[in-house]
C-alpha cells in the first residue's frame, strides 16, 4: 500500500526582501525529516507561469528570493507553489514549511510565518468539512499601529475561476469586495484602515474552495512589510 | 484564458487529499463509475480542488449529486 501523500503550499515573494523557507519544520530524535520530492511553480499576478524548479529535498532551507529573482525581473509579486510529496509514515499529519522574511534596506524586525497549505494535507479520517464554503477570518489590533493592511489571495486552481468575497468590518459596518481569480492568478486587496470614523476590526474571506491567503501589513511611511500572517479558518 | 482538461493533464494530481488524478477522474466518468471507491470525499477535505473537480466533472459529463458542494447556510 502506498504511503505517499501530497501537499501544495503557497507563498508570495516581493522583490527587495530576504526570503528563506525552512522546507521541513519537524524534527525527530534522529534528525530532520525529509520530503520525498519538492517542485516549485512560479506565477505572475496574471497567472502566467514563470517556470518550474525542482528542489533537492535534502536541503534544510531554501533561499527563495535568490531562486525567484532571476526568473521574475520587474515582477512586483510572485506566487510560489510548493508541490511536495511526502511519506505519511514519516509525517503522520503533514509537513510544515516555515518562512523568514526581511526587507534588506529596512530596520524592521524579520517576519516569521507558516507557509499556507492550500491543496492537500487533510487526511480522509478527519471530519472537518461538513459544508464546502470556506470562511477565514483575521482580527486586527484596535490601536493604530502606523500600518496599512491588505489581503493577498492566490488561486492554485488549474482550470476553474473562483469568485471570492473579501468582507471588512469597521465597527458594525460591513462591506463586501468581490474578487475574481482565474487559474493561478493572484491579487492584493487593500483593506481600508477606517470607514465612517471606525477602524478596521476584522476581515473575512469567503470562497467556494480554499485559496492561498495572507494578511499583510505595511508601514505607512516606508512601505516595509511588518505583518505577513495566515487567516484563521473556520467552517460555519 | 480558460484551459480545458485534456489528456496531457491526465497525470496531474487533482485532489491532493484523496490522491486522485485528472486521468482517473476522466476514466471513471467515461465508465460511469464516479465516485470511485475511496475517492468519495474528493473536494471535501481541504476543499482546494473543489473548483477544478466541478469543472472537470462538467467537462467529463460524469457529475453526481455526491460530488456537488452541500448547500451553505449563513
Amino acid at each position: 500500500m502506498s504511503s505517499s501523500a501530497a501537499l501544495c503550499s503557497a507563498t508570495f515573494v516581493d522583490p527587495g526582501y530576504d526570503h528563506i523557507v525552512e522546507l521541513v519544520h519537524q524534527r525527530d530524535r534522529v534528525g530532520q525529516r525529509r520530503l520525498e520530492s519538492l517542485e516549485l511553480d512560479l506565477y505572475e499576478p496574471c497567472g502566467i507561469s514563470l517556470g518550474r524548479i525542482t528542489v533537492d529535498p535534502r536541503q534544510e532551507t531554501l533561499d527563495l528570493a535568490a531562486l525567484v529573482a532571476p526568473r521574475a525581473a520587474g515582477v512586483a509579486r510572485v506566487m510560489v507553489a510548493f508541490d511536495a510529496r511526502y511519506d505519511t509514515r514519516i509525517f503522520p499529519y503533514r509537513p510544515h514549511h516555515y518562512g523568514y522574511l526581511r526587507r534588506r534596506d529596512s530596520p524592521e524586525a524579520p517576519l516569521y510565518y507558516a507557509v499556507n497549505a492550500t491543496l492537500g494535507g487533510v487526511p480522509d479520517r478527519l471530519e472537518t468539512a461538513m459544508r464546502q464554503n470556506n470562511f477565514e477570518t483575521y482580527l486586527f489590533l484596535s490601536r493604530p499601529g502606523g500600518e496599512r493592511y491588505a489581503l493577498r489571495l492566490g488561486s492554485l486552481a488549474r482550470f476553474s475561476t473562483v469568485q471570492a468575497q473579501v468582507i471588512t468590518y469597521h465597527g458594525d459596518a460591513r462591506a463586501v469586495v468581490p474578487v475574481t481569480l482565474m487559474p493561478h492568478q493572484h491579487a492584493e486587496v487593500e483593506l481600508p484602515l477606517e470607514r465612517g470614523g471606525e477602524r478596521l476590526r476584522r476581515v473575512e474571506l469567503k470562497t467556494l474552495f480554499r485559496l492561498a491567503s495572507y494578511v499583510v501589513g505595511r508601514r505607512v511611511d516606508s512601505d516595509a512589510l511588518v505583518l505577513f500572517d495566515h487567516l484563521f479558518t473556520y467552517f460555519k | 484564458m480558460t484551459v480545458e482538461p485534456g489528456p496531457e493533464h491526465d497525470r496531474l494530481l487533482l485532489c491532493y487529499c484523496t490522491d486522485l488524478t485528472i486521468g482517473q477522474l476522466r476514466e471513471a466518468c467515461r465508465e460511469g463509475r464516479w465516485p470511485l471507491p475511496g475517492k468519495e470525499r474528493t473536494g471535501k477535505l481541504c476543499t482546494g480542488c473543489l473548483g477544478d473537480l466541478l469543472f472537470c466533472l462538467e467537462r467529463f459529463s460524469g457529475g453526481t449529486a455526491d460530488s456537488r458542494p452541500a448547500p451553505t447556510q449563513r
Side-chain angles (χ1 to χ4, degrees):
Chain A
M1 191 174 114
S2 171
S3 57
S4 186
L7 178 71
C8 193
S9 310
T11 188
F12 299 99
V13 172
D14 301 76
Y17 283 78
D18 291 327
H19 202 148
I20 307 291
V21 172
E22 183 186 24
L23 295 186
V24 171
H25 188 63
Q26 297 96 324
R27 289 177 181 270
D28 57 27
R29 290 178 186 173
V30 178
Q32 190 191 16
R33 305 181 195 185
R34 301 201 189 287
L35 303 170
E36 288 179 348
S37 67
L38 178 63
E39 291 189 318
L40 308 186
D41 287 293
L42 280 52
Y43 299 99
E44 291 189 44
C46 61
I48 289 175
S49 172
L50 292 167
R52 168 169 277 212
I53 303 167
T54 300
V55 174
D56 182 350
R58 293 172 299 180
Q59 287 183 241
E60 191 165 345
T61 59
L62 194 65
D63 187 341
L64 200 54
L67 274 178
V68 169
R71 294 168 173 83
V75 180
R77 183 187 63 249
V78 175
M79 180 169 73
V80 182
F82 290 69
D83 195 335
R85 299 292 187 272
Y86 62 97
D87 189 328
T88 54
R89 292 169 301 189
I90 296 174
F91 298 97
Y93 182 40
R94 67 186 182 200
H96 299 281
H97 317 305
Y98 273 79
Y100 163 97
L101 189 57
R102 180 180 174 276
R103 195 160 107 169
R104 294 188 192 105
D105 63 354
S106 170
E108 301 292 349
L111 301 172
Y112 298 87
Y113 71 98
V115 180
N116 204 211
T118 310
L119 291 175
V122 180
D124 205 14
R125 65 179 184 273
L126 297 183
E127 297 288 336
T128 54
M130 301 309 292
R131 298 190 180 93
Q132 264 62 50
N133 278 47
N134 279 303
F135 294 89
E136 292 187 296
T137 192
Y138 193 88
L139 302 175
F140 295 92
L141 296 173
S142 56
R143 65 177 189 277
E147 302 157 11
R148 57 187 176 83
Y149 299 106
L151 195 59
R152 282 190 182 182
L153 303 174
S155 172
L156 292 185
R158 274 73 68 90
F159 310 109
S160 60
T161 297
V162 64
Q163 293 179 335
Q165 290 184 335
V166 175
I167 305 159
T168 56
Y169 293 86
H170 297 76
D172 293 331
R174 179 180 186 269
V176 181
V177 178
V179 181
T180 301
L181 293 175
M182 301 283 282
H184 296 133
Q185 276 191 342
H186 48 103
E188 186 165 303
V189 180
E190 292 293 331
L191 306 176
L193 263 185
E194 285 192 11
R195 178 171 284 137
E198 295 278 359
R199 282 189 56 80
L200 175 66
R201 301 302 300 270
R202 182 157 67 97
V203 64
E204 277 183 358
L205 171 64
K206 180 184 175 188
T207 63
L208 175 64
F209 56 88
R210 184 165 173 76
L211 301 175
S213 57
Y214 292 90
V215 175
V216 297
R218 284 197 185 79
R219 198 68 75 195
V220 170
D221 52 4
S222 67
D223 210 39
L225 283 171
V226 290
L227 174 69
F228 195 91
D229 202 358
H230 61 83
L231 289 84
F232 296 90
T233 303
Y234 63 95
F235 295 96
K236 193 171 181 182
Chain B
M1 187 181 73
T2 303
V3 175
E4 293 294 325
E8 69 275 19
H9 298 110
D10 279 358
R11 294 183 63 186
L12 281 182
L13 201 52
L14 174 70
C15 180
Y16 280 62
C17 294
T18 62
D19 199 28
L20 177 79
T21 65
I22 302 279
Q24 287 172 320
L25 179 62
R26 184 195 306 279
E27 191 177 333
C29 289
R30 186 167 52 223
E31 297 174 356
R33 293 190 295 119
W34 180 257
L36 292 166
K39 311 290 185 186
E40 295 89 349
R41 299 187 74 195
T42 294
K44 297 174 181 174
L45 293 160
C46 79
T47 77
C49 71
L50 182 60
D52 281 347
L53 173 68
L54 297 177
F55 188 96
C56 289
L57 283 173
E58 189 181 322
R59 294 300 190 274
F60 302 158
S61 300
T64 68
D66 284 345
S67 302
R68 304 284 164 173
T72 57
Q73 298 172 347
R74 288 218 69 187

